[in-house]
Amino acid sequence: MQVAHDFPSRVEELRSLREEVRRGPSEKATEAQHAKGKLTARERIELLLDEGSFNEVEPLRRHRATGFGLEDRKPYTDGVVTGWGTVYGSAVFVYAHDFRVFGGALGEAHAQKIHKIMDMALTAGAPIVSLNDGAGARIQEGVSALAGYGGIFQRSTRASGVVPQISVMLGPCAGGAAYAPALTDFVFMVRGTSQMFITGPDVVRAVTGEEISHDGLGGADVHAETSGVAHFVYDDEETCLEEVRYLLSLLPGNNRENPPSVEADDPVGRRCEALLDLVPADGSRAYDMREVITELVDDGDYLEIHERWATNIVVALARLGGRVVGVVASQPASLAGVLDIKASEKAARFVQMCDAFSIPLVTLVDVPGFLPGVSQEHDGIIRHGAKLLYAYCNATVPRISVTLRKAYGGAYIVMDSQSIGADLTFAWPTNEIAVMGAEGAANVIFRRRIAEAPDPEAMRARLVKEYRTELMHPYYAAERGLLDDVIDPTETRQVLIRSLDMLHSKHADLPLRKHGNPPQ
């Protein structure tokens, strides 16, 4: 490069260099990226951040590696664009792999840029978003590249629960690199272009003989429905990045701030008459709990997380009275709303995230128990169910639960009952809070009387009715102080908002300890 000697020339030289960096390696590489249905790193950043807010860090960074022809290929940015900007006016740090440069592969300089931006995010107390589209470690740089991933893992762990971390998968992510998004709070994927796996189809075929495609092994739908790795999946990058912006609008910048609140247009005192038709009084009839959430929250607007995984429980972020809340809700439309291994893990992770970022919890309960079965027991429902119990017991944010209908056995306790520390517990007059359903209880308690009766079925029906009248009427738990009140379903929204207003300044301290040892 020929260096100019007068000031205006040097400024023009800088402008030219910056334009070269902005364009990237070549028009051909950009066309190849677009041909795959993918945007470039800078195009993605422009969609993610508020217009004109991006401030790039180290755009002129180049690697210093030699060997395997690297000394002749030293592109600016080294395959990753890093910096900060704003989303709806709030600071956000971002790094984006540039697949046009070394396939987005991570080398030493590349990793150091990411380390720096992660350190800056933690220092500034702002979320960090990674736009992932890379081929893993840069093989030509050997162990230096692997060490770079180690630095990312360490920083991500240190930032966990301190600043929100969001991974957006926009291309391949294989091998050890897949652990970087796995350590973050949320993972977004785009259908058809993003995959994640530890070992690819070729290795799987060589080791196990199984034939499978890249998408079949680690595509977006697989991780949304089967593995639970992906929290959100979309058909295109534009929609995906717009939803990342929406998620960021519901999260605080860090764990020392409260989530952003807004003026609510939806009246606090709005009665929810539709609930009387949405929820059948008969506990054996199914309904969609998402319709209940829609009726309760501001303007019917909420962001469901893990929508397609463990569908027997719903977790979502929404607003009530303008304040962000985390909703955990049984889903009677799927497996009757029972708790199983996947549902317990899904809800536990969500409760921990909400607690880390000062998001109050609202739990809507209609749960018949834990899912019975040999596979559930052998696969560890005890320890997995304990994860949800631990998460609730450890949470210090405001916690309110509402029992709509059933709440049986251990599942009643686990779903944020008063006995494990819920601040306020309410129930509808259709509630049945008990050790088990009336039919099952009568069969256990009155087994001999039923067997010896001249008409066993008539005796069973009479004893079931007797048990329900004595121990399962809707005011039984309230009479014993295990509920704060039985409420009119149409008043649920206003009860929740007024309760959250009262609990807004809640402060609770946990015992002094290095950290807990949650069930694994």
Side-chain angles (χ1 to χ4, degrees):
M1 177 186 296
Q2 187 174 357
V3 179
H5 296 288
D6 60 283
F7 205 104
S9 296
R10 289 197 174 189
V11 171
E12 184 57 36
E13 179 183 72
L14 173 61
R15 288 173 180 164
S16 177
L17 183 57
R18 283 184 168 175
E19 179 58 25
E20 178 186 341
V21 171
R22 190 194 63 78
R23 285 196 308 268
S26 70
E27 191 62 35
K28 183 178 179 181
T30 301
E31 289 173 0
Q33 181 80 348
H34 288 163
K36 297 174 185 175
K38 301 197 296 183
L39 301 174
T40 66
R42 295 181 187 280
E43 289 169 340
R44 290 162 174 166
I45 290 173
E46 288 175 3
L47 287 174
L48 173 67
L49 301 177
D50 296 337
E51 185 176 356
S53 70
F54 182 54
N55 300 272
E56 190 168 354
V57 174
E58 295 191 349
L60 304 180
R61 188 69 180 266
R62 305 163 88 176
H63 73 76
R64 294 178 292 181
T66 58
F68 306 102
L70 285 178
E71 61 273 16
D72 299 322
R73 297 179 62 201
K74 303 179 70 172
Y76 292 111
T77 75
D78 200 46
V80 64
V81 181
T82 61
W84 80 92
T86 60
V87 172
Y88 297 116
S90 296
V92 172
F93 288 77
V94 60
Y95 67 86
H97 298 132
D98 190 342
F99 196 82
R100 300 172 302 166
V101 179
F102 296 126
L106 181 139
E108 184 177 21
H110 182 123
Q112 288 172 351
K113 288 182 65 175
I114 295 175
H115 297 169
K116 181 170 186 173
I117 212 68
M118 294 180 77
D119 289 341
M120 291 174 69
L122 196 58
T123 300
I128 183 161
V129 178
S130 62
L131 305 179
N132 298 269
D133 186 8
R138 196 174 298 168
I139 298 172
Q140 299 94 322
E141 294 195 31
V143 71
S144 297
L146 294 178
Y149 275 119
I152 293 173
F153 302 158
Q154 182 193 46
R155 285 166 173 81
S156 186
T157 301
R158 193 165 66 235
S160 179
V162 181
V163 296
Q165 300 179 81
I166 299 172
S167 296
V168 188
M169 314 309 297
L170 301 166
C173 185
Y179 287 115
L183 287 169
T184 60
D185 300 303
F186 300 98
V187 176
F188 287 72
M189 294 188 75
V190 173
R191 193 174 282 109
T193 57
S194 62
Q195 300 95 29
M196 297 171 64
F197 35 70
I198 299 300
T199 55
D202 293 341
V203 176
V204 170
R205 185 186 309 112
V207 175
T208 71
E210 297 170 291
E211 292 284 348
I212 194 165
S213 67
H214 285 80
D215 270 343
L217 182 63
D221 290 319
V222 167
H223 287 310
E225 298 176 6
T226 305
S227 72
V229 170
H231 298 81
F232 306 95
V233 170
Y234 299 98
D235 289 327
D236 57 81
E237 294 190 16
E238 292 83 357
T239 304
C240 179
L241 292 168
E242 184 57 39
E243 290 300 295
V244 175
R245 286 174 58 84
Y246 179 34
L247 173 60
L248 286 165
S249 75
L250 296 169
L251 299 174
N254 58 68
N255 64 341
R256 299 182 302 278
E257 299 177 358
N258 287 320
S261 60
V262 298
E263 286 293 326
D265 295 326
D266 198 344
V268 170
R270 172 171 61 81
R271 293 177 64 84
C272 302
E273 302 287 348
L275 293 176
L276 301 178
D277 296 320
L278 288 174
V279 182
D282 181 357
S284 64
R285 291 179 58 194
Y287 63 94
D288 191 342
M289 183 65 83
R290 290 173 296 188
E291 295 181 356
V292 175
I293 297 171
T294 299
E295 183 66 20
L296 291 175
V297 303
D298 292 355
D299 304 310
D301 192 19
Y302 65 92
L303 180 63
E304 186 173 353
I305 296 163
H306 267 146
E307 180 180 355
R308 295 162 59 194
W309 184 65
T311 56
N312 41 322
I313 200 161
V314 175
V315 298
L317 293 172
R319 282 191 168 92
L320 278 168
R323 288 201 176 106
V324 176
V325 296
V327 179
V328 180
S330 309
Q331 175 54 298
S334 177
L335 294 177
V338 297
L339 286 175
D340 61 2
I341 289 173
K342 290 182 178 179
S344 299
E345 289 191 333
K346 171 179 170 177
R349 171 77 169 174
F350 180 75
V351 168
Q352 289 172 171
M353 185 279 298
C354 288
D355 188 52
F357 295 114
S358 303
I359 299 172
L361 288 161
V362 172
T363 305
L364 304 177
V365 185
D366 192 347
V367 60
F370 281 93
L371 180 65
V374 174
S375 63
Q376 286 287 303
E377 296 294 344
H378 286 186
D379 290 341
I381 185 61
I382 294 173
R383 61 187 173 86
H384 290 289
K387 293 178 183 178
L388 180 53
L389 181 62
Y390 187 99
Y392 269 126
C393 290
N394 202 50
T396 60
V397 292
R399 292 157 49 191
I400 304 170
S401 70
V402 182
T403 301
L404 282 61
R405 299 191 309 184
K406 303 178 297 297
Y408 295 158
Y412 151 67
I413 299 172
V414 168
M415 288 291 283
D416 209 17
S417 62
Q418 188 182 103
S419 61
I420 66 168
D423 296 295
L424 289 168
T425 53
F426 302 103
W428 289 2
T430 45
N431 83 82
E432 292 182 353
I433 300 175
V435 175
M436 62 177 67
E439 290 78 7
N443 288 337
V444 172
I445 299 171
F446 306 117
R447 181 175 61 252
R448 182 172 297 178
R449 287 179 62 184
I450 292 171
E452 294 173 351
D455 186 347
E457 288 306 314
M459 176 61 75
R460 179 182 287 107
R462 182 173 71 81
L463 293 174
V464 166
K465 182 178 180 181
E466 179 182 315
Y467 181 86
R468 182 174 280 115
T469 301
E470 291 295 321
L471 294 176
M472 292 184 65
H473 64 79
Y475 307 103
Y476 185 86
E479 290 171 0
R480 284 151 183 80
L482 298 174
L483 284 174
D484 290 296
D485 201 5
V486 178
I487 62 173
D488 180 344
T490 66
E491 297 176 354
T492 305
R493 172 178 162 81
Q494 55 188 282
V495 168
L496 288 173
I497 293 174
R498 289 170 182 169
S499 300
L500 289 165
D501 286 344
M502 181 275 292
L503 291 167
H504 181 61
S505 58
K506 174 186 175 182
H507 177 77
D509 289 319
L510 292 171
L512 182 62
R513 58 185 175 185
K514 187 174 182 180
H515 56 73
N517 187 23
Q520 296 298 319

